[in-house]
Amino acid sequence: MVDKLYELTIHEAHKLLKQREISSVELTKAVLERIEKVENKIRACVTITEDVALKQAQEVDNYIHGGNIAPLTGIPTLIKDVICTKGIRTTCSSRMLENFVPPYDATVTEKLKAQKAVVVGKTNMDEFAMGSSTEHSAFFPTRNPWDLTCVPGGSSGGSAAAVAANEAIYALGSDTGGSIRQPAGFCNVVGLKPTYGRVSRFGLVAFASSLDQIGPITKDVTDCALVINAIAGYDPKDSTTVPYAVPDYTLNLIPDLKGMRIGIPKEYFVEGMQDEVRITLVAAINKLHELGAELDWEASLPHTKYALAAYYIIAPSEASANLARYDGVKYGFSEQSASNVVEAVEKTRQFGFGSEVKRRIMLGTYALSAGYYDAYYLKAQKVRTLIKQEFEQAFQRYDALVTPTSPTVAFKLGEKLQNPIQMYLSDVCTLPINIAGIPAISVPAGFAQELPVGMQIIGKPFDEATILRIAFAYEQASGKRRKPPL
Ligand code: GLN
């Protein structure tokens, strides 16, 4: 009998469930007890759905009679609170949606349910996914399991911290500029942002629609492949999904990198990068060479330096349009003290949104307004095209690119809260990937100052298989997963 069931990965738990050595109820109870034990320190969850979870687990146990079960059947998961879950509150960590209970499931939620996954709750995040530390949650900040005085990253900080602290076997996050990869890097877990169009965004509360993607946050690369297998694919409800067949991503998990050409773009070793992070990462990248990959340390993507500026025009512009719907009329928070409609809408938005969200709405509204449109939005779109083309050219020479996930390790709570530009800078290495719409994974690559360092592996459009393979080979070679001191 395995003690500490909550420490299992998906593939380990699946094996035990399939052989009926454990039941889904046992596993779910172990995870719920773990939440109970560590949640007051971590605060990763906005909602815990104990009753729903135990009911789903019981149904699974009634239905497993040995034999074939899907890889996620009976396995407890946490879902970022920006993804709709029918009958379960979906807040986006905002006052605006504090009491919003969606009448439908997101497509990804449906897909997990189709495999009979067990949903144990919803995770904390930066309000409407705007942020890099989870401190912009309207409810409470989440803490990093490796050091409770540090942030877990964001905006999917709740999902990453929860998986690192074993509060779920895996979780879903969303990534608009780095929100899966950056917290995965900060918390020593695996996070994948799929190609734009690979995973349906139906039922994902929109932040910046041309950038948003949903993806897995997992304990290891094999689990990541299993979750992306489950959630990828064409969806008639999301016209941006692409009707390509979904391969079985576990089939490409090969522990060597023979014949692989990998570029390391020098622009990603940015000014302000911590020395220890650089040293740790260089060692990790050299390991890829030992595994058989051919490395080019002279790779270059010169337009990278414009990505941050372009992102902070494009993302707020789209956000300003997407968030126009929160007017207090149809759903969500509604300020009742107003004497007329205009005042009601104004007050609803004044009290319903936090300061970072308002900052983005103002930035976006400004950038889109007549007279400024060409100078900002149009210019940013042109930069976007250049960045995309530069990646296309790079991928004629390389099978993948490798960079740091972030220039620093997790920072202290409060450290960047008063300085939005510093906060924005923590995504310099991740947001160019969303601008180009390509896939990237962050995989644990060692420690600096006793805190985790993430390695980002970037792939060609719809070539998640290759970056998963590189991440897998590295993971196998880098030894046992370290546990956070909890
Ligand atoms: N930190 C970035 C932002 O604040 C990215 C957020 C995200 O990926 N959702 O916009």
Side-chain angles (χ1 to χ4, degrees):
M1 183 68 204
V2 191
D3 58 349
K4 300 197 178 167
L5 291 180
Y6 52 80
E7 284 186 353
L8 295 172
T9 60
I10 297 173
H11 54 97
E12 289 162 352
H14 173 72
K15 211 166 140 211
L16 294 173
L17 282 165
K18 198 169 158 174
Q19 292 163 350
R20 306 210 71 182
E21 283 180 38
I22 59 169
S23 72
S24 175
V25 169
E26 276 162 7
L27 179 61
T28 304
K29 279 191 175 155
V31 166
L32 288 167
E33 276 160 26
R34 176 71 178 170
I35 293 176
E36 173 101 27
K37 174 139 184 271
V38 299
E39 182 57 7
N40 61 345
K41 295 193 197 114
I42 309 290
R43 308 223 62 195
C45 301
V46 172
T47 305
I48 297 163
T49 52
E50 183 166 347
D51 296 347
V52 177
L54 286 171
K55 198 166 153 253
Q56 285 171 337
Q58 189 58 59
E59 273 167 26
V60 167
D61 288 339
N62 295 343
Y63 142 105
I64 303 180
H65 300 292
N68 276 338
I69 53 166
L72 305 182
T73 300
I75 298 182
T77 182
L78 282 164
I79 299 180
K80 185 178 182 183
D81 216 15
V82 67
I83 297 171
C84 284
T85 41
K86 187 176 175 176
I88 301 173
R89 198 164 73 112
T90 299
T91 67
C92 295
S93 288
S94 178
R95 295 269 167 244
M96 197 59 101
L97 294 176
E98 194 169 0
N99 300 309
F100 173 62
V101 178
Y104 64 95
D105 272 327
T107 296
V108 292
T109 310
E110 262 178 10
K111 287 191 173 218
L112 295 188
K113 283 187 179 171
Q115 289 210 10
K116 294 192 183 293
V118 172
V119 179
V120 287
K122 305 292 297 285
T123 55
N124 197 23
M125 54 187 277
D126 287 295
E127 184 175 5
F128 285 103
M130 298 172 188
S132 313
S133 68
T134 315
E135 291 165 295
H136 292 311
S137 164
F139 307 140
F140 45 81
T142 297
R143 288 163 190 273
N144 190 315
W146 293 91
D147 179 343
L148 298 175
T149 66
C150 289
V151 302
S155 66
S156 310
S159 290
V163 173
N166 291 310
E167 294 184 73
I169 307 294
Y170 69 101
L172 293 186
S174 70
D175 190 314
T176 304
S179 277
I180 289 176
R181 291 159 286 155
Q182 185 255 22
F186 278 11
C187 294
N188 212 40
V189 291
V190 176
L192 170 68
K193 183 205 87 77
T195 312
Y196 187 75
R198 180 77 291 191
V199 176
S200 170
R201 293 169 305 112
F202 177 77
L204 170 70
V205 178
F207 164 10
S209 308
S210 76
L211 302 161
D212 300 339
Q213 269 291 291
I214 296 170
I217 296 181
T218 57
K219 294 177 188 174
D220 71 8
V221 177
T222 305
D223 280 8
C224 186
L226 291 169
V227 179
I228 188 72
N229 274 354
I231 62 174
Y234 173 69
D235 178 11
K237 293 182 190 145
D238 176 356
S239 62
T240 64
T241 54
V242 177
Y244 297 158
V246 180
D248 177 350
Y249 291 105
T250 60
L251 297 179
N252 209 39
L253 303 180
I254 307 160
D256 78 61
L257 299 176
K258 286 196 192 79
M260 204 70 96
R261 295 161 310 165
I262 295 177
I264 299 108
K266 47 179 180 252
E267 291 79 4
Y268 281 75
F269 290 79
V270 291
E271 212 188 296
M273 185 172 183
Q274 289 169 338
D275 284 342
E276 265 197 71
V277 171
R278 186 197 313 270
I279 293 165
T280 305
L281 210 80
V282 167
I285 297 173
N286 281 328
K287 197 141 219 157
L288 303 179
H289 179 65
E290 287 167 28
L291 289 162
E294 197 184 298
L295 302 183
D296 181 359
W297 289 91
E298 291 302 310
S300 176
L301 298 165
H303 286 92
T304 303
K305 60 175 180 281
Y306 303 114
L308 187 86
Y311 174 88
Y312 276 100
I313 296 293
I314 295 167
S317 296
E318 294 182 15
S320 72
N322 274 327
L323 271 62
R325 71 190 67 171
Y326 303 105
D327 54 11
V329 177
K330 294 180 287 297
Y331 52 80
F333 172 74
S334 184
E335 175 56 43
Q336 298 299 309
S337 73
S339 55
N340 61 55
V341 176
V342 173
E343 198 189 324
V345 173
E346 280 175 0
K347 283 194 163 165
T348 293
R349 293 170 70 80
Q350 181 186 347
F351 300 130
F353 289 137
S355 58
E356 182 60 28
V357 172
K358 282 189 243 186
R359 182 172 9 251
R360 305 288 177 109
I361 293 174
M362 284 189 275
L363 278 171
T365 308
Y366 184 82
L368 290 177
S369 53
Y372 295 107
Y373 184 89
D374 288 4
Y376 295 112
Y377 188 71
L378 205 62
K379 189 73 154 268
Q381 292 291 18
K382 288 181 181 167
V383 172
R384 182 173 195 172
T385 304
L386 288 173
I387 291 172
K388 207 164 166 266
Q389 285 169 348
E390 208 164 76
F391 275 113
E392 277 161 17
Q393 284 157 11
F395 283 123
Q396 287 172 5
R397 302 178 54 188
Y398 310 113
D399 299 301
L401 300 165
V402 172
T403 74
T405 303
S406 309
T408 68
V409 290
F411 43 91
K412 295 277 181 202
L413 282 144
E415 190 179 317
K416 299 188 191 233
L417 212 46
Q418 303 313 324
N419 188 338
I421 306 282
Q422 279 302 319
M423 191 72 96
Y424 297 173
L425 276 167
S426 66
D427 293 308
V428 276
C429 300
T430 48
L431 52 83
I433 313 318
N434 301 68
I435 289 186
I438 52 184
I441 189 168
S442 178
V443 65
F447 286 76
Q449 302 158 17
E450 286 302 298
L451 286 167
V453 172
M455 173 162 72
Q456 175 172 249
I457 307 163
I458 309 163
K460 298 175 189 172
F462 296 96
D463 192 15
E464 281 79 2
T466 295
I467 58 175
L468 283 161
R469 171 176 167 185
I470 298 170
F472 178 78
Y474 176 76
E475 178 187 79
Q476 296 302 302
S478 64
K480 226 175 141 40
R481 225 170 357 112
R482 236 164 95 171
K483 289 182 202 167
L486 267 181

